[in-house]
Amino acid sequence: MTDDAVSSRRLALARDVLATEADAILNVSARLDAVFLRAVDAALACRGRLVVTGMGKSGHIGRKIAATLASTGTPAFFMHPAESAHGDLGMITGDDMVLALSNSGETAEVVALLPALRRKGVSLLAITGRPESTLAREADWHLDAAVEREACPLGLAPTSSTTAALALGDALALTLLDARDFREEDFALSHPGGSLGKRLLVRVADVMHSGPALPVVRPDTRLKDALYEISRKGLGMTAVCDDDGQLVGVFTDGDLRRLLDRDAFDLDGPVGAVMNRAPRHIGAERLAAEALQRMQQDKINGLLALDAAGRLTGALNMHDLLRAGVV
């Protein structure tokens, strides 16, 4: 077989795998009914956690489903069914709900949990590929994840079946997300280390320079001394405030370059004569992501920050946002 023939065969196989798994998801979607809605209502009413369990490949899928549930507003964790017989069942309380995954519905380690779960009074949601199986029959709610065939060309490796189960878990998690009116801000609280967390949790006050690190001069300060202030504080600008501490202007590196282009400046003259009298500013309580948006929109590298009373309280530049992970 030529190299081109081998490549064509492999591409055809890969496409068949994706098409088979896509068809499996669509078939599962078409079978969703009122049982799914009752399971969602039960999960919403659950006063405890949603405990996900499964063995082998179903266990790997279960871990992902538990992680998705937990990060989208439904308290959840994964419990290994084999470990449960050696003490981990103690993690489950009567207020919890169990989501059990098994394609056959007869996985010994999962089925063995049923008597203990019933004694604890725990409600059970099952995802299987066989509605007539033991697990499906014993569950309070059963979601049918049956597939016509596995995508594996040998028909052995769990592929379409695990994809269908994962998609059903995602459907459950995101339907619960919508029912709980879960928002971006809530998601960010579960992901403070991620980029979304940085965008939605970090505020201007968290990254701005303030106190002695804040560059500020008076309008009558010599331009030469204002430049020294810019150099010392390293923000590429200095705020200009009057005797009452009110912001009246700003002088930046860009303003200096424009003066040099015109060759019209006096280093011993007051900075108030050449300052920008319409300084860009933002509230210190605003999100740092909003400061980034304003800088990009106005094509500037820094912003002054004001407190709730409109007084100058800080300053920040693009480097501060980069260090905070907002950019």
Side-chain angles (χ1 to χ4, degrees):
M1 186 178 291
T2 66
D3 289 345
D4 287 346
V6 170
S7 297
S8 296
R9 181 177 179 277
R10 290 172 178 171
L11 280 175
L13 175 59
R15 288 172 178 145
D16 182 65
V17 169
L18 294 175
T20 300
E21 296 198 3
D23 287 342
I25 292 176
L26 291 175
N27 290 334
V28 169
S29 174
R31 293 197 298 270
L32 283 182
D33 56 18
V35 176
F36 178 82
L37 298 178
R38 289 197 290 271
V40 168
D41 289 340
L44 285 171
C46 178
R47 294 178 296 172
R49 290 111 0 127
L50 193 50
V51 183
V52 186
T53 191
M55 195 72 186
K57 300 300 188 295
S58 291
H60 295 310
I61 296 301
R63 289 182 188 276
K64 166 58 171 63
I65 292 173
T68 300
L69 286 163
S71 69
T72 54
T74 298
F77 67 89
F78 178 81
M79 181 188 71
H80 195 288
E83 296 292 341
S84 67
H86 299 276
D88 281 4
L89 266 174
M91 295 188 293
I92 301 179
T93 73
D95 290 332
D96 295 331
M97 177 177 173
V98 169
L99 168 58
L101 291 87
S102 169
N103 186 42
S104 69
E106 301 294 346
T107 304
E109 294 87 348
V110 177
V111 171
L113 296 176
L114 298 179
L117 295 178
R118 289 309 181 202
R119 286 196 298 271
K120 285 176 172 281
V122 176
S123 56
L124 176 63
L125 167 61
I127 295 179
T128 82
R130 294 179 56 205
E132 72 282 2
S133 65
T134 300
L135 183 59
R137 287 187 283 103
E138 292 297 324
D140 297 290
W141 309 275
H142 173 251
L143 300 181
D144 184 3
V147 299
E148 291 185 4
R149 68 184 180 94
E150 297 289 3
C152 170
L154 302 177
L156 299 175
T159 44
S160 299
S161 57
T162 49
T163 298
L166 177 60
L168 260 179
D170 285 343
L172 177 67
L174 300 182
T175 303
L176 288 168
L177 173 149
D178 181 72
R180 297 183 193 280
D181 196 25
F182 195 80
R183 301 181 183 276
E184 281 189 341
E185 291 81 0
D186 302 310
F187 189 86
L189 289 173
S190 300
H191 300 74
S195 59
L196 180 63
K198 295 291 192 301
R199 286 198 297 111
L200 294 177
L201 297 179
V202 177
R203 301 193 176 273
V204 170
D206 299 324
V207 298
M208 70 185 188
H209 300 255
S210 59
L214 174 60
V216 58
V217 296
R218 291 159 42 100
D220 59 0
T221 300
R222 292 187 306 169
L223 178 57
K224 180 192 302 183
D225 295 326
L227 295 178
Y228 289 153
E229 179 74 351
I230 292 174
S231 298
R232 282 196 300 270
K233 303 299 173 64
L235 291 182
M237 63 178 174
T238 182
V240 184
C241 292
D242 62 18
D243 293 339
D244 297 324
Q246 293 297 309
L247 179 66
V248 295
V250 66
F251 190 79
T252 70
D253 287 342
D255 295 323
L256 176 61
R257 287 193 297 273
R258 285 183 284 275
L259 287 179
L260 289 171
D261 286 340
R262 297 200 306 268
D263 195 23
F265 65 96
D266 178 5
L267 285 176
D268 291 318
V271 68
V274 293
M275 69 182 182
N276 179 347
R277 297 179 181 276
R280 302 317 203 302
H281 56 78
I282 190 171
E285 80 287 352
R286 306 300 298 177
L287 291 173
E290 185 178 339
L292 172 62
Q293 181 183 25
R294 291 194 188 182
M295 289 185 200
Q296 292 174 328
Q297 179 179 321
D298 295 337
K299 296 181 173 58
I300 57 176
N301 290 318
L303 274 176
L304 299 173
L306 307 182
D307 63 16
R311 294 185 298 266
L312 179 69
T313 188
L316 73 161
N317 62 17
M318 195 67 74
H319 295 294
D320 299 316
L321 298 178
L322 281 166
R323 280 192 293 270
V326 177
V327 178

